Amino acid sequence: EFKYRNLPPREVVCSIELNRVNNQFGRYGEYIYFKGKIAKCPETRKDLKNKMVEGGFAVKNGALFVDTGDVISVKGIIEYNQNKLNYKIYHINQFIVVRKKIFSEIKTNILNIIRNDKNITKEYQAFICAFLFGEKRFMTERQNSMFRNIGTMHMFAVSGLHIGIAFLLFYQCFKIFLMQKKFYLSITLLLLFFYVSLIGFPPSACRAYLMVVFWQISSILCRKRNSFSILGWTALILLAIDHSLLFSAGFQLSFTVVAAILWVMPKQ
């Protein structure tokens, strides 16, 4: 049986590993709501470690953007959410974010560079941010309406399509300058991993990246490539890293859709 104790109304400093992030615009500006797991807490509050926690904070001056997979250090009041009797989760409020992972800082800097470019229009800046990183919050209402009406909003959810395009671009560019495959392939896969890290390791992008890795390893070892075997090993590796992905809709849809495509495609 799940047990908890009432917490005293005082601030606690802890580190939270985020597993879900949602950006919303409210009456007084933009807010980020998150759910995550407490990874580090004071010795006096060991009972909080590995507990699920939720919260939200306001985004000020375009700063403090976080993404799934980030670890943030917060200072605030943590209390058990008694309104959700069937949901084992704590709630944190009255807090400030004081630290983020390096990948989020790099991503924020890249987004700022794109948005501060005076040579391109605001709409084009928003399109680049959305297509490269899935950051749709900069898109105008006219853009949202247009892409939704023509059925292409899925382009801005970073997935296997983006990983495939990035792989081909990196691969072909480095192939021109580097003669040996082991060099340009290694650099390509390293940059591709960096890109997946920047976008927060979404299941579909992780699936595509691992499939590319298996595909290229099979090619280097002169082994016969089996698409279903590659897909299966990819799923096993991701589930070994995080078994909760099995209950994620993104994980389920990504693998079932790719499996269906492989099933109906001609063998050649």
Side-chain angles (χ1 to χ4, degrees):
E1 184 181 357
F2 183 74
K3 297 180 180 180
Y4 67 92
R5 62 175 179 171
N6 293 326
L7 304 178
R10 63 185 177 191
E11 291 181 335
V12 176
V13 178
C14 61
S15 297
I16 300 176
E17 182 178 349
L18 307 181
N19 55 32
R20 183 175 300 176
V21 178
N22 183 26
N23 298 79
Q24 294 183 11
F25 286 92
R27 181 177 180 181
Y28 301 103
E30 185 172 6
Y31 290 82
I32 290 181
Y33 298 92
F34 67 84
K35 291 182 180 179
K37 181 176 67 174
I38 299 178
K40 187 178 180 181
C41 53
E43 289 291 325
T44 55
R45 295 312 311 267
K46 284 185 177 180
D47 59 300
L48 293 176
K49 192 171 183 180
N50 295 325
K51 295 294 191 300
M52 295 300 297
V53 66
E54 64 179 5
F57 58 87
V59 177
K60 298 180 180 179
N61 300 322
L64 299 181
F65 282 116
V66 294
D67 209 339
T68 302
D70 289 345
V71 175
I72 59 174
S73 181
V74 301
K75 181 180 180 180
I77 299 174
I78 302 180
E79 56 190 358
Y80 188 75
N81 191 344
Q82 301 189 41
N83 295 326
K84 298 182 178 180
L85 299 179
N86 297 321
Y87 203 94
K88 303 174 183 179
I89 195 166
Y90 284 77
H91 180 78
I92 184 168
N93 52 24
Q94 302 177 19
F95 68 92
I96 55 174
V97 179
V98 297
R99 179 173 55 84
K100 295 189 299 180
K101 271 187 176 180
I102 186 172
F103 283 124
S104 288
E105 296 177 0
I106 294 174
K107 178 181 175 181
T108 300
N109 290 334
I110 295 175
L111 291 174
N112 289 334
I113 291 173
I114 296 174
R115 297 188 66 204
N116 294 329
D117 190 342
K118 304 299 182 181
N119 298 319
I120 55 179
T121 64
K122 293 293 184 181
E123 288 193 343
Y124 190 61
Q125 292 172 4
F127 176 84
I128 295 176
C129 293
F131 185 76
L132 291 181
F133 301 106
E135 295 289 346
K136 298 187 286 292
R137 62 177 180 267
F138 305 122
M139 296 176 65
T140 63
E141 188 61 35
R142 191 180 76 87
Q143 284 179 301
N144 282 319
S145 177
M146 179 182 68
F147 287 112
R148 195 176 294 113
N149 290 336
I150 62 178
T152 55
M153 280 297 288
H154 63 277
M155 289 196 310
F156 307 119
V158 181
S159 60
L161 170 66
H162 299 74
I163 301 302
I165 293 174
F167 172 77
L168 289 176
L169 287 175
F170 291 146
Y171 188 86
Q172 295 299 329
C173 289
F174 290 117
K175 187 177 181 180
I176 296 174
F177 302 103
L178 300 174
M179 301 301 296
Q180 296 188 19
K181 185 175 182 179
K182 61 181 179 180
F183 292 131
Y184 61 78
L185 179 59
S186 300
I187 296 175
T188 297
L189 294 179
L190 184 63
L191 288 176
L192 205 59
F193 178 79
F194 179 71
Y195 176 62
V196 175
S197 303
L198 284 180
I199 60 179
F201 297 101
S204 56
C206 293
R207 185 262 310 157
Y209 175 76
L210 287 177
M211 289 188 70
V212 168
V213 171
F214 278 121
W215 172 44
Q216 291 300 318
I217 291 177
S218 300
S219 177
I220 293 174
L221 299 178
C222 299
R223 297 284 185 177
K224 184 179 179 181
R225 286 167 288 187
N226 187 307
S227 300
F228 285 103
S229 177
I230 291 175
L231 186 66
W233 278 108
T234 299
L236 287 176
I237 290 175
L238 291 179
L239 290 175
I241 296 173
D242 184 3
H243 61 84
S244 65
L245 287 174
L246 184 62
F247 307 101
S248 168
F251 179 88
Q252 296 170 2
L253 290 173
S254 178
F255 279 89
T256 52
V257 168
V258 173
I261 292 174
L262 295 176
W263 181 265
V264 300
M265 281 178 58
K267 290 185 178 181
Q268 64 269 23

